[in-house]
Amino acid sequence: MNAPAKTEDFAIKIPDGVYAETVLSVEHYTDHLFRFRMTRPAGFRFRSGEFAMIGLMVGDKPIYRAYSIASPAWDEELEFFSIKVPDGPLTSHLQAIKPGDTVLMRKKPTGTLVLDALTPGRRLYMFSTGTGIAPFASLIRDPETYEKFEEVILTHTCRDVAELKYGFDLVEEIKNHEFLSEIVGDKLKHYATVTREDYPFKGRITTLIENGKLFSDLGVPALDPAIDRGMICGSSAMLKDTKELLENAGLTEGANNKPAEFVIERAFVG
Ligand SMILES: Cc1cc2nc3c(=O)[nH]c(=O)nc-3n(C[C@H](O)[C@H](O)[C@H](O)COP(=O)(O)OP(=O)(O)OC[C@H]3O[C@@H](n4cnc5c(N)ncnc54)[C@H](O)[C@@H]3O)c2cc1C
């Protein structure tokens, strides 16, 4: 595996419309998951929940993939939460980045998991599996989320307990954060479940919605289109199944140009 290049190695090759940013920190969670933080370009604006194309020079060619920005819009740095795909064209290299390395980012962020795409409501559900927690890592750290909703429920389902750690770290970071802790208070509920190990909360989120365990565990009523809003981020199969359950409960899918009761985005292609 080649070490990722530093800016000076390819400064003249950086394409137009692309930022070259410096990695600040890297934290590995499991053999398959890590997070990293990098500098934020001056003038780079995005809405919490959006994704951008990030990349690396591999040889003399850039390779880009879509990545949800996991940090909130107000943060001076950018954070990402990443899978490590064995032999993945990007992540087999990205997993080796170290502070000081250069990561590329295309200039235009986009996405549907934004507060603007939802009509007003009282309770916001964020349903995520695996790295699908990334856009919600941004939104749960954005004060606007708590201005718009009285209660925010983040569900995160993974195969193994070790894969839940990023979510627990986020909640801990919010609790310890000077101003976020006050804004968030007890409005955020984190509901973590696993599918392949013993754990107090077990099962696919769709099963737990269907059998009502999600709601009884949280002490909230069943889904109600007058009150509840949803955001979903996971595999194509998870999106399809969760979307169906929300639609059965009477919620309709929205978009940036047509806000409604829930929005979805794929956590990866495949
Ligand atoms: C809108 C959008 C947002 C995304 N946000 C993120 C993010 O925040 N973090 C992140 O790690 N990835 C994210 N992805 C996936 C990302 O774009 C890449 O697919 C991933 O980084 C792997 O790149 P690769 O080149 O190594 O392998 P690829 O060739 O891109 O992927 C190889 C195969 O690995 C599997 N795979 C890829 N990504 C994932 C994943 N995240 N979880 C489980 N299996 C996966 C799929 O089966 C895929 O076919 C996002 C994708 C989309 C469409």
Side-chain angles (χ1 to χ4, degrees), residues 42-149:
F44 176 70
R45 300 268 167 274
F46 69 100
R47 293 179 295 172
S48 293
E50 286 189 316
F51 68 88
M53 301 301 292
I54 66 165
L56 283 180
M57 293 299 287
V58 177
D60 57 1
K61 276 204 337 223
I63 295 183
Y64 293 98
R65 289 289 184 271
Y67 267 79
S68 295
I69 303 168
S71 45
W74 56 263
D75 202 326
E76 286 169 11
E77 300 170 3
L78 295 176
E79 179 173 312
F80 298 93
F81 181 53
S82 180
I83 191 87
K84 304 173 193 175
V85 180
D87 304 321
L90 177 68
T91 56
S92 60
H93 301 278
L94 192 68
Q95 64 180 281
I97 55 169
K98 303 240 168 348
D101 288 341
T102 299
V103 169
L104 306 177
M105 184 174 69
R106 290 212 180 116
K107 292 193 171 170
K108 226 188 137 354
T110 183
T112 50
L113 299 178
V114 290
L115 294 168
D116 294 346
L118 295 174
T119 49
R122 291 225 300 268
R123 188 181 298 118
L124 174 60
Y125 283 92
M126 300 170 176
F127 299 105
S128 69
T129 54
T131 59
I133 194 175
F136 306 139
S138 173
L139 283 157
I140 62 168
R141 291 184 278 184
D142 191 329
E144 197 187 338
T145 305
Y146 305 92
E147 281 162 26
K148 292 198 162 168
F149 292 93

Side-chain angles (χ1 to χ4, degrees), residues 13-258:
K13 297 181 204 151
I14 292 168
D16 282 350
V18 173
Y19 298 112
E21 296 305 306
T22 305
V23 176
L24 298 170
S25 63
V26 184
E27 186 175 356
H28 292 270
Y29 285 98
T30 69
D31 290 348
H32 304 290
L33 294 171
F34 69 110
R35 87 156 123 179
F36 67 94
R37 292 179 69 87
M38 67 183 201
T39 50
R40 177 175 176 165
F44 176 70
R45 300 268 167 274
F46 69 100
R47 293 179 295 172
S48 293
E50 286 189 316
F51 68 88
M53 301 301 292
I54 66 165
L56 283 180
M57 293 299 287
V58 177
D60 57 1
K61 276 204 337 223
I63 295 183
Y64 293 98
R65 289 289 184 271
Y67 267 79
S68 295
I69 303 168
S71 45
W74 56 263
D75 202 326
E76 286 169 11
E77 300 170 3
L78 295 176
E79 179 173 312
F80 298 93
F81 181 53
S82 180
I83 191 87
K84 304 173 193 175
V85 180
D87 304 321
L90 177 68
T91 56
S92 60
H93 301 278
L94 192 68
Q95 64 180 281
I97 55 169
K98 303 240 168 348
D101 288 341
T102 299
V103 169
L104 306 177
M105 184 174 69
R106 290 212 180 116
K107 292 193 171 170
K108 226 188 137 354
T110 183
T112 50
L113 299 178
V114 290
L115 294 168
D116 294 346
L118 295 174
T119 49
R122 291 225 300 268
R123 188 181 298 118
L124 174 60
Y125 283 92
M126 300 170 176
F127 299 105
S128 69
T129 54
T131 59
I133 194 175
F136 306 139
S138 173
L139 283 157
I140 62 168
R141 291 184 278 184
D142 191 329
E144 197 187 338
T145 305
Y146 305 92
E147 281 162 26
K148 292 198 162 168
F149 292 93
E150 290 168 19
E151 198 174 6
V152 176
I153 295 170
L154 167 66
T155 84
H156 189 208
T157 302
C158 294
R159 288 178 183 167
D160 308 317
V161 177
E163 296 170 340
L164 297 174
K165 183 159 189 308
Y166 179 57
F168 283 103
D169 284 359
L170 289 171
V171 173
E172 204 51 35
E173 282 166 25
I174 291 172
K175 272 191 202 145
N176 295 327
H177 194 275
E178 201 185 339
F179 75 82
L180 268 184
S181 57
E182 266 181 46
I183 292 164
V184 177
D186 57 4
K187 285 179 156 187
L188 174 65
K189 294 196 170 66
H190 175 212
Y191 188 80
T193 83
V194 295
T195 54
R196 295 230 182 130
E197 273 187 331
D198 268 344
Y199 191 66
F201 300 97
K202 253 202 109 171
R204 286 159 53 97
I205 195 64
T206 42
T207 309
L208 298 166
I209 295 172
E210 250 176 324
N211 65 19
K213 191 166 184 311
L214 169 69
F215 311 110
S216 55
D217 283 345
L218 291 168
V220 295
L223 291 170
D224 176 352
I227 290 170
D228 294 319
R229 300 292 171 262
M231 291 181 163
I232 319 172
C233 191
S235 65
S236 305
M238 178 270 193
L239 293 185
K240 180 176 163 287
D241 295 348
T242 314
K243 172 181 149 98
E244 211 170 285
L245 290 169
L246 297 199
E247 284 175 346
N248 290 345
L251 283 77
T252 50
E253 186 178 346
N256 270 295
N257 57 0
K258 193 174 167 285

